[in-house]
Amino acid sequence: HTRYISVTGVQTCALPILGSKEAMMQLAENTDDVEVIRELAKQGYYPAIEFAYEVYSDTQYEELLAFSGNTAAILNLMEKYEHSSKESEQYKLIFLNELANLYGYYPTQSIADNDEDYGPVFILYAGISLPKVSKELELKAKAEAQKVFNQHNY
C-alpha cells in the first residue's frame, strides 16, 4: 500500500489564527506587546482593557472598568473624589459607593484585625468617607448605580 503526499500550503496544525482578538491578545501578552494590547483596548476588547489598566496603569478606561465591577477601579475613583468639595464629585462618590455595594463590595467599611503581635486591634483599611448629601441626590445616585449595574451585568 503506497501513500502519496503533496504539499498544498494549507495550514493543518492547531496554531491560532491571528485574526481573532483573543489570539492577538494572547500573543501580545506573551510577547509583552504594549501597542497591540492598547489597540485592542481602543477597539473595546474587555480583556485588553483590564490588562492595560492592571499592568500598564492606563486609566482612560477606569470608569468603564468601575461600571463593570472592577473593584480596583471603583476604589481608585472613590479615593480620587473622597476629599472633594465639588458637588459633582461628591455625587460621583456616592454613586460609586452604591455601585460597589451592588457588586458586593463595601468600600466604606473599615477592616480591623486582632493580632497578638500588634496589640488588641489594628486597622487594615480605614474605609472611604462619604460626604453628607441631600436625600434627593442620594436617591438619584442609587437609581443611576442600579441602571449602570443592570447595563453591565447581563
Side-chain angles (χ1 to χ4, degrees):
H1 185 59
T2 306
R3 194 177 274 180
Y4 294 94
I5 301 173
S6 65
V7 177
T8 62
V10 176
Q11 179 180 341
T12 58
C13 61
L15 291 174
I17 302 199
L18 292 180
S20 78
K21 289 180 179 178
E22 185 177 324
M24 289 174 67
M25 181 66 189
Q26 188 175 7
L27 180 63
E29 278 184 83
N30 291 339
T31 60
D32 199 28
D33 191 335
V34 179
E35 293 312 310
V36 169
I37 292 170
R38 287 185 171 145
E39 181 57 36
L40 288 168
K42 276 188 211 170
Q43 294 174 18
Y45 185 58
Y46 194 79
I49 292 170
E50 278 188 316
F51 192 87
Y53 179 73
E54 293 169 3
V55 176
Y56 305 125
S57 301
D58 289 358
T59 58
Q60 72 256 31
Y61 304 106
E62 193 164 48
E63 190 172 281
L64 171 66
L65 289 168
F67 287 4
S68 299
N70 182 297
T71 55
I74 291 172
L75 186 59
N76 285 342
L77 287 171
M78 288 185 76
E79 287 174 347
K80 178 179 168 183
Y81 302 130
E82 182 176 16
H83 300 292
S84 175
S85 58
K86 294 180 184 176
E87 187 175 307
S88 63
E89 292 182 352
Q90 290 178 342
Y91 174 80
K92 288 178 184 178
L93 184 60
I94 300 294
F95 161 78
L96 287 165
N97 184 63
E98 293 295 336
L99 187 61
N101 293 343
L102 289 169
Y103 280 111
Y105 175 57
Y106 303 95
T108 58
Q109 291 182 349
S110 297
I111 301 171
D113 195 5
N114 194 2
D115 191 312
E116 300 113 28
D117 296 336
Y118 298 102
V121 174
F122 65 99
I123 303 295
L124 295 172
Y125 173 72
I128 298 285
S129 300
L130 296 178
K132 295 287 181 196
V133 295
S134 70
K135 192 69 174 168
E136 179 184 333
L137 205 60
E138 189 177 320
L139 290 173
K140 181 181 173 189
K142 192 174 211 150
E144 185 182 354
Q146 185 67 57
K147 182 179 175 185
V148 167
F149 178 77
N150 292 344
Q151 288 172 344
H152 289 270
N153 222 1
Y154 24 83

